[in-house]
Amino acid sequence: MNLFRKFFFGTATLALLAGCSDDISNAGQNNGSTGNEDGPSVYLGVNFQMPGMGSTRSFTDGDNTSNNGTEVGTDVENNVNEVLLVLARRDYGFIGAASVMRDNIYKHQAQQPNAGSYHATAKFNKTELSQYYSDAANFNKEICVFVIANPTGGMVDRLATAAYGDTEWINTPWTVSVEGNQTEGAIWSSTNGGNFLMTNSQIAVREIPQQMSAWDSYTSEDKCFNLSEINGVAGALGTIDNSAANASRGPVKVERATARFDFRDGSPANTDANTYPVVYIQNPDGSQGAKLIDIKLNKMALVNMGKTFYYLKRVSNNGLNDGWNAAGSTNGWALCGAEKPWYTLQTDGSLDHNRPGNYIVDYFAQQKNAGISENFSTYFNYAFFDNDGTLNNGNFNTADQRWYVSEISDVLSNGNPDNWDNNGNKGTYKVWRYLTENVAPGIENQVNGISTAVVFKGKMLASNDLKTDLTNLTEGTAEYRNAKYLNDLINAVNSKDASLGDSYKAPILYSYAGSLYCTWQNVYDAAVSASFSYTTGPDGKIIPDWNRTNSLYKAAFGNGLTGYKLVDSDGKVIYNDGDEKDLDQNSANYCWQMWNQANKPNNGEILAKYKKAVTDAGFTIYQRSEDNREGWGYYCYYYYWNRHNDNGKNGIMGPMEFAVVRNNVYKLAVTHIARLGHPRISQNDPDSPKPDTPDESSDIYFTVDAEVVPWTVRVNDIVFE
């Protein structure tokens, strides 16, 4: 049954040639082809090799700067239900295509030269080939062979209307749409034993007969022309060797069009699961004291997953689609080219332009190069920013979960263990999810609005061991004051009491220069204590000594006085550091006082002015909120921009350092958290990301170990049932 003008579908017309390769299982069976549908036909066989088979280095093709290792794919990831075989001229002009269903796809036996690869035989209409042989200007006995495993409708539909010589088919994209958190069935699926889209990892050039008349020897089911093995040609034309023994021929190498994120618990051995010590008490001598605050990571969310990608990978020297050179020269882009590493000079660490690398070309490369500042949902699934460029960490809790959100405990308990051959030195990762390619052209375009990231949500946990019984201390003393600050903080952080009210009425936490304060009053008191001392003169009057250049003083009070009042034991004011007119009315303290006096409204100009003044001064504001699983508490957020080729230089970005590239497994483990993360509300964050914020910064919040390894397949046979 001929469903499409340019190629056939269905097992009735896609017969395996039993005699084409003597190491194919089920040889000799007839699959229902009559051999005369739509006129005379010829049969071509092709072997294709699964991703990374036989490789022990972490690259798909060619050399790159990833870490070594091997990853054994699961049966679901390696299964092939259908193969779309495409023949093209050397300029990639379309010749013809045929579809082979899984009943006609077989694995070579272990004892054969092509062990581990798969064989498919497809039937082509003789008329299609004759057009190529009649095209004297373009005919070449070497053609390009493309194998697309488990194709989606995008390429199938495109080739159904392709005319001979069409070169636009290589630009076919595929857009992955999501419905809620579901992307199954797009380019990966566990249905039918597994259904992962795979395409050529490199251009496969194969030789065909020089004359059309030679095809008369390949028109029956018991004999086919093989694009991956040796062929005997009738007459005096000798043989055509497409086997692996002939240069880079043999099986056509394919790679998955997806990437994969794996995750493991990388927290210290002496802590609870996914829990990290972050804030410590500072001893009087400046040394680190007892642990005060842990962060327990409880959720992780995928953001900025690429929405549209090219079926066939392409590379260029700058990541752009400027021009095309079929021979793959340094100008323009090359189809199915290998990713090349970027080298640096030993002298100063700058790029070595005598050994230039290249970039994977993204479908939206031109737009990304121009700068994306809005309408992010056009380019990404699970967009990090709203379409107007604002950020809302609340996507962790919204009903629609615009980000792809997972409970970390679920990932680690329910996820499938990986099959990474890592000599047991890294721990067991769990497969989290699959995702699509996302790459930025050039170094400067690796920014938060473009790159794929994982957002981690963590809850603050305070150590109750540091609480002090205040009844044993004298009120008004520094010891009492410090103990009360600590008690207030611990009680607030650990309270699960919903009756404390909304996040504006409950105690607000303020972080500054590594210290954490509960309520603004404690910030005020600490700033005064750090900068004020006094003596009493002979007349009994206070002689003040202020250090108004102290960093905490400047952050709280700006360029004005404090309004601080010193009282004696009877409550009488004995010293006053200025009245309202002496205060800096743009300072954090003044704006907080105005908001407090207005009864702390949760919206409006007064609130906005207070938050801007406080964050401009360098304070991070943490407000209490409720998590749908962890309950009430104080939460913070960490943004990990996925690294593809880490140059090992913190604060300095290199080419292709932040990206997601097909057929790579990215193994993630949070191994250290250095400080409290970003607050839930962007207005509360002095360091809130913007769409043009560079992915790499000298500010290190936490550390993620990332291993980039190849996806390889098991030796086990795949059984089609």
Side-chain angles (χ1 to χ4, degrees):
M1 180 172 58
N2 188 0
L3 299 182
F4 291 111
R5 181 168 57 87
K6 285 298 174 187
F7 57 93
F8 301 101
F9 258 115
T11 57
T13 60
L14 300 168
L16 172 71
L17 301 185
C20 183
S21 178
D22 59 7
D23 64 328
I24 306 298
S25 59
N26 295 337
Q29 69 176 355
N30 187 299
N31 294 288
S33 172
T34 64
N36 60 5
E37 296 92 339
D38 300 283
S41 300
V42 296
Y43 291 83
L44 293 90
V46 63
N47 299 338
F48 59 97
Q49 193 173 70
M50 302 293 283
M53 187 173 290
S55 172
T56 58
R57 283 182 53 82
S58 60
F59 55 85
T60 302
D61 279 311
D63 197 8
N64 69 22
T65 56
S66 302
N67 298 308
N68 290 343
T70 57
E71 176 71 33
V72 179
T74 64
D75 288 344
V76 168
E77 295 165 343
N78 302 330
N79 190 36
V80 178
N81 289 301
E82 180 183 356
V83 168
L84 182 59
L85 178 62
V86 185
L87 307 182
R89 304 181 316 206
R90 290 303 304 272
D91 66 351
Y92 308 142
F94 180 73
I95 297 175
S99 180
V100 185
M101 307 308 287
R102 69 178 182 176
D103 288 342
N104 295 324
I105 302 170
Y106 297 93
K107 186 173 183 179
H108 285 257
Q109 302 302 305
Q111 68 272 18
Q112 297 298 328
N114 293 312
S117 63
Y118 294 79
H119 179 93
T121 303
K123 186 177 81 171
F124 284 77
N125 193 297
K126 224 175 181 182
T127 303
E128 291 179 315
L129 289 180
S130 66
Q131 290 184 81
Y132 178 53
Y133 280 86
S134 300
D135 183 3
N138 290 293
F139 177 78
N140 188 316
K141 66 179 182 179
E142 290 187 331
I143 63 171
C144 297
V145 178
F146 295 89
V147 172
I148 301 173
N150 304 319
T152 67
M155 184 61 80
V156 172
D157 294 344
R158 179 65 182 82
L159 292 180
T161 59
Y164 171 77
D166 178 6
T167 58
E168 285 299 312
W169 74 273
I170 63 173
N171 298 321
T172 301
W174 182 249
T175 297
V176 176
S177 298
V178 301
E179 184 175 340
N181 280 346
Q182 300 304 312
T183 51
E184 290 288 323
I187 57 172
W188 63 85
S189 174
S190 59
T191 60
N192 297 321
N195 213 53
F196 280 66
L197 174 64
M198 307 178 205
T199 62
N200 283 47
S201 63
Q202 60 189 35
I203 294 297
V205 177
R206 301 293 184 266
E207 186 178 346
I208 60 173
Q210 181 72 38
Q211 299 175 359
M212 184 66 193
S213 59
W215 288 101
D216 292 340
S217 299
Y218 305 104
T219 57
S220 63
E221 188 174 358
D222 60 355
K223 190 176 183 182
C224 70
F225 183 85
N226 205 304
L227 296 167
S228 302
E229 297 178 12
I230 297 176
N231 300 272
V233 180
L237 297 178
T239 60
I240 294 177
D241 187 0
N242 283 322
S243 71
N246 184 9
S248 59
R249 297 184 181 178
V252 176
K253 294 181 179 180
V254 297
E255 63 185 355
R256 299 173 190 84
T258 65
R260 196 180 86 191
F261 275 4
D262 294 355
F263 183 73
R264 72 174 174 89
D265 179 6
S267 57
N270 59 343
T271 65
D272 293 336
N274 307 302
T275 303
Y276 305 78
V278 177
V279 179
Y280 291 83
I281 297 294
Q282 189 175 28
N283 293 324
D285 62 0
S287 63
Q288 187 182 85
K291 180 183 66 175
L292 174 60
I293 299 290
D294 282 331
I295 293 294
K296 181 180 180 181
L297 299 180
N298 56 79
K299 283 185 171 73
M300 56 196 296
L302 176 69
V303 298
N304 285 352
M305 185 179 86
K307 200 167 192 176
T308 303
F309 63 94
Y310 288 109
Y311 258 89
L312 301 175
K313 179 185 68 178
R314 57 186 66 187
V315 298
S316 74
N317 59 348
N318 59 3
L320 296 175
N321 266 322
D322 296 335
W324 165 47
N325 186 291
S329 74
T330 56
N331 297 317
W333 56 267
L335 193 68
C336 299
E339 182 184 351
K340 297 179 182 178
W342 291 84
Y343 295 96
T344 55
L345 297 172
Q346 293 183 355
T347 53
D348 59 2
S350 61
L351 292 177
D352 184 353
H353 294 290
N354 291 320
R355 295 187 297 170
N358 62 9
Y359 291 83
I360 302 296
V361 179
D362 191 274
Y363 182 76
F364 291 117
Q366 314 306 97
Q367 293 90 329
K368 291 178 178 180
N369 190 52
I372 298 173
S373 59
E374 58 184 11
N375 297 324
F376 296 94
S377 61
T378 301
Y379 309 99
F380 306 105
N381 292 305
Y382 318 122
F384 183 53
F385 293 99
D386 291 338
N387 280 331
D388 62 0
T390 59
L391 174 62
N392 179 15
N393 286 319
N395 282 306
F396 267 112
N397 271 342
T398 54
D400 62 348
Q401 285 191 342
R402 201 191 72 220
W403 297 349
Y404 181 87
V405 180
S406 298
E407 295 282 347
I408 290 177
S409 59
D410 292 346
V411 173
L412 296 177
S413 62
N414 301 330
N416 295 318
D418 67 346
N419 292 298
W420 184 28
D421 179 14
N422 58 3
N423 298 318
N425 61 356
K426 288 287 186 180
T428 299
Y429 291 79
K430 294 296 185 73
V431 177
W432 178 32
R433 63 154 296 134
Y434 304 98
L435 63 162
T436 49
E437 197 165 66
N438 182 28
V439 182
I443 295 174
E444 67 282 357
N445 292 314
Q446 297 174 119
V447 294
N448 293 179
I450 291 176
S451 300
T452 298
V454 180
V455 181
F456 293 92
K457 181 179 182 179
K459 185 178 185 180
M460 298 183 197
L461 303 174
S463 174
N464 284 310
D465 295 339
L466 298 180
K467 291 177 68 173
T468 303
D469 184 358
L470 299 180
T471 59
N472 298 322
L473 302 176
T474 302
E475 189 172 351
T477 64
E479 186 181 12
Y480 177 92
R481 199 163 51 242
N482 290 336
K484 186 175 186 306
Y485 294 166
L486 206 54
N487 286 358
D488 290 345
L489 176 61
I490 294 170
N491 290 335
V493 168
N494 290 342
S495 174
K496 298 181 180 180
D497 186 0
S499 67
L500 287 178
D502 65 32
S503 59
Y504 288 95
K505 296 299 189 293
I508 294 177
L509 308 185
Y510 300 87
S511 176
Y512 180 81
S515 295
L516 187 62
Y517 306 93
C518 179
T519 76
W520 186 261
Q521 184 61 52
N522 285 333
V523 175
Y524 180 95
D525 291 344
V528 170
S529 177
S531 55
F532 176 60
S533 61
Y534 67 92
T535 57
T536 304
D539 57 357
K541 290 186 177 180
I542 297 299
I543 303 174
D545 182 15
W546 286 95
N547 177 11
R548 300 190 193 275
T549 62
N550 175 276
S551 60
L552 184 56
Y553 181 100
K554 296 289 290 184
F557 305 116
N559 298 318
L561 303 185
T562 63
Y564 172 70
K565 293 178 175 58
L566 182 65
V567 299
D568 61 18
S569 58
D570 297 327
K572 179 183 177 181
V573 175
I574 57 177
Y575 171 72
N576 184 8
D577 186 45
D579 298 320
E580 184 174 340
K581 63 180 176 56
D582 302 310
L583 308 183
D584 182 346
Q585 297 190 8
N586 292 314
S587 69
N589 179 66
Y590 184 87
C591 292
W592 180 87
Q593 297 287 354
M594 295 301 100
W595 178 65
N596 185 53
Q597 291 174 22
N599 198 28
K600 298 182 178 179
N602 60 10
N603 55 53
E605 183 179 350
I606 294 177
L607 173 67
K609 187 173 182 181
Y610 143 64
K611 288 194 172 186
K612 184 177 187 307
V614 170
T615 55
D616 283 353
F619 290 94
T620 303
I621 304 170
Y622 297 100
Q623 293 179 249
R624 196 165 180 265
S625 61
E626 186 180 21
D627 181 83
N628 58 355
R629 182 177 288 195
E630 297 291 327
W632 285 97
Y634 293 86
Y635 296 89
C636 57
Y637 303 80
Y638 297 90
Y639 312 131
Y640 169 72
W641 305 99
N642 186 64
R643 275 187 161 90
H644 176 65
N645 284 330
D646 191 350
N647 64 2
K649 299 179 176 66
N650 287 335
I652 302 175
M653 279 194 293
M656 288 289 295
E657 185 166 4
F658 295 91
V660 171
V661 176
R662 68 184 69 191
N663 206 57
N664 279 280
V665 175
Y666 299 92
K667 296 187 173 295
L668 308 179
V670 179
T671 55
H672 177 67
I673 297 180
R675 66 184 197 183
L676 297 177
H678 297 270
R680 174 176 56 92
I681 303 172
S682 296
Q683 281 182 307
N684 295 354
D685 192 354
D687 192 27
S688 182
K690 304 293 187 295
D692 60 353
T693 299
D695 291 338
E696 188 150 30
S697 168
S698 58
D699 294 330
I700 305 300
Y701 280 79
F702 73 142
T703 301
V704 173
D705 283 351
E707 299 279 353
V708 183
V709 298
W711 233 339
T712 60
V713 293
R714 292 179 176 177
V715 177
N716 300 355
D717 288 350
I718 297 173
V719 179
F720 296 102
E721 297 177 342

